[in-house]
Amino acid sequence: TRQSSSRRVPLASRKTSSSSRSSASTRPFLCLALFLLLILVVTALFLFPPAIMSSSSSSSSSAASVPFERPRKVVKKVLSLSQSEGDGATVRRSIGRHEVPNLDPFLLLDEFSVSKPAGFPDHPHRGFETVTYMLDGAFTHQDFSGRKGTIRTGDVQWMTAGRGIVHSEMPAADGVQKGLQLWINLASKDKMIKPRYQELESKDISQAEKHGVKVRIIAGEAFGVRSPVYTRTPTMYMDFTMQPGSQLHQPIPEGWNAFVYIIEGEGVFGREGAAPASAHHCLVLGAGDGLSVWKRSGAPLRFVLAAGQPLNELVVQQGPFVMNSRAQIKKAMEDYYYGRNGFEKASQWSST
Ligand code: FJE
Ligand code: FE
């Protein structure tokens, strides 16, 4: 009745009267209505966070499709050529050959194709990490502490050799077994840490897909999805597959060294007008905050993108030992020879 009486007040006089008489009577109701509205909004926020978050993440992805402030361009393109390694194995080396001596913190990238009986029999490592990513087939590894396992298509073995590992890496099936092996340097303070393995089965590798671009995240983050792998040397490593007509705009931390290795197909990297690059090429990226890739037509494009925070330390490498000085290399060779400082189990061990 109070409302109806206030409604009957002529418009001209309502403004003045509402400030005195009607406000005193309707304020409790207004407060109640505002309170109910607040509860409604809070409930909605609790009930539909995924909808709200996904809409905000898709808007942030469209923000990412705006060109980067400083897009990374391809500063070097190297075709990896086949060479013989291990015991009769064939690798296409890109990082680690003369043209790309080392891209701190990366030491080596090999695309390996190996058939029995070839392989990588018993050998040591010290001072860095090896990341083996199977592209097709299976590899068995055995180490001097009795650890043994087989990684298959899509699986990853992230091995932190630290102060020392001796192992063998051999094909586990008939036919050609293919994969990538990336060597990542360890900081001086981490070179002698206890060895550690992080193994991810294919089904456990974080994946994301958006607008014709699929990514498998081995390390780091893409499309808002993070890998559980701990990278002692801060690293991102992902495997992208792009369908024709798709584009990718992947942020990469400023100051990190980065490269692309094309597994199959071809695509345009760095700037839209660039000439397409094709399989088995390693593309070293220049400075900037992200990489754009265009896949126009034809077959899908598959490549890995790796980026890492440079260590800015001296690198002294002697085969499987990567240290900071000649003296440390000499020490590593002696430790391996005499079975000391992490190589205790080396002398009496051999793979089966
Ligand atoms: C190594 C020669 C080698 N690339 N890719 C010397 F062949 C190796 C070595 C590998 C390797 C292993 C796999 Cl599974 C894949 C690779 C080189 O084992 F460590 C030294 N020092
Ligand atoms: Fe090895």
Side-chain angles (χ1 to χ4, degrees):
T1 50
R2 268 184 219 120
Q3 280 178 335
S4 63
S5 73
S6 84
R7 230 181 265 134
R8 265 185 238 114
V9 175
L11 269 172
S13 65
R14 197 186 264 176
K15 263 191 174 168
T16 49
S17 70
S18 70
S19 61
S20 55
R21 190 173 62 90
S22 120
S23 77
S25 54
T26 55
R27 189 167 285 152
F29 292 95
L30 268 167
C31 285
L32 187 71
L34 277 170
F35 182 69
L36 285 172
L37 193 72
L38 188 77
I39 288 190
L40 206 75
V41 168
V42 169
T43 314
L45 273 167
F46 268 103
L47 281 174
F48 309 109
I52 288 160
M53 276 163 70
S54 72
S55 74
S56 77
S57 81
S58 72
S59 71
S60 77
S61 80
S62 64
S65 73
V66 173
F68 296 106
E69 242 172 75
R70 295 208 309 143
R72 286 180 180 255
K73 296 183 192 90
V74 177
V75 295
K76 195 179 245 182
K77 182 171 123 174
V78 178
L79 176 65
S80 61
L81 299 169
S82 294
Q83 63 184 77
S84 192
E85 265 301 0
D87 185 5
T90 304
V91 303
R92 283 175 173 270
R93 184 158 299 169
S94 42
I95 309 290
R97 55 190 294 139
H98 311 295
E99 294 89 333
V100 206
N102 88 67
L103 194 66
D104 190 9
F106 303 111
L107 300 160
L108 173 144
L109 180 73
D110 277 356
E111 178 186 3
F112 58 91
S113 297
V114 186
S115 306
K116 287 176 182 174
F120 305 91
D122 309 9
H123 61 278
H125 293 282
R126 174 181 278 184
F128 62 101
E129 303 184 290
T130 67
V131 182
T132 309
Y133 181 40
M134 289 308 297
L135 296 176
D136 188 17
F139 246 66
T140 294
H141 58 94
Q142 290 182 45
D143 85 3
F144 68 161
S145 64
R147 190 189 169 95
K148 184 176 174 174
T150 300
I151 51 170
R152 299 167 201 287
T153 307
D155 297 352
V156 172
Q157 183 202 55
W158 195 291
M159 184 188 90
T160 306
R163 69 171 82 104
I165 275 181
V166 183
H167 70 170
S168 68
E169 299 154 283
M170 304 297 284
D174 292 327
V176 185
Q177 316 299 307
K178 295 182 183 175
L180 295 175
Q181 189 169 92
L182 177 65
W183 291 11
I184 307 170
N185 204 1
L186 284 168
S188 169
K189 64 169 172 58
D190 294 327
K191 285 193 179 291
M192 294 300 281
I193 59 174
K194 194 168 141 263
R196 177 187 179 185
Y197 289 91
Q198 297 177 83
E199 271 178 349
L200 285 182
E201 271 187 57
S202 184
K203 63 173 173 57
D204 300 323
I205 291 181
S206 321
Q207 288 207 25
E209 191 157 7
K210 203 183 279 176
H211 311 307
V213 182
K214 192 190 86 178
V215 61
R216 308 186 82 236
I217 304 135
I218 299 166
E221 184 179 326
F223 297 172
V225 179
R226 253 203 102 71
S227 157
V229 167
Y230 174 69
T231 60
R232 194 160 276 274
T233 302
T235 305
M236 64 184 269
Y237 190 23
M238 30 204 86
D239 170 8
F240 286 99
T241 302
M242 297 178 65
Q243 295 305 320
S246 66
Q247 287 185 23
L248 166 70
H249 305 278
Q250 173 63 41
I252 300 169
E254 290 254 17
W256 287 23
N257 286 323
F259 70 87
V260 159
Y261 185 78
I262 304 172
I263 299 166
E264 58 188 34
E266 58 171 55
V268 171
F269 294 80
R271 56 178 187 86
E272 215 168 341
S278 60
H280 312 298
H281 280 90
C282 176
L283 315 176
V284 178
L285 305 180
D289 54 358
L291 172 69
S292 295
V293 184
W294 293 267
K295 175 66 220 171
R296 285 182 191 130
S297 57
L301 163 69
R302 186 180 181 193
F303 63 93
V304 291
L305 168 65
Q309 188 171 50
L311 299 168
N312 294 313
E313 294 175 346
L314 228 61
V315 177
V316 183
Q317 177 169 0
Q318 179 79 244
F321 305 124
V322 182
M323 303 303 288
N324 302 113
S325 68
R326 287 294 317 159
Q328 288 173 352
I329 290 290
K330 184 166 172 280
K331 178 86 168 12
M333 295 197 297
E334 286 168 4
D335 285 348
Y336 177 52
Y337 186 83
Y338 293 110
R340 297 193 294 228
N341 298 311
F343 285 120
E344 284 77 5
K345 292 175 178 149
S347 347
Q348 68 274 38
W349 178 82
S350 79
S351 61
T352 53

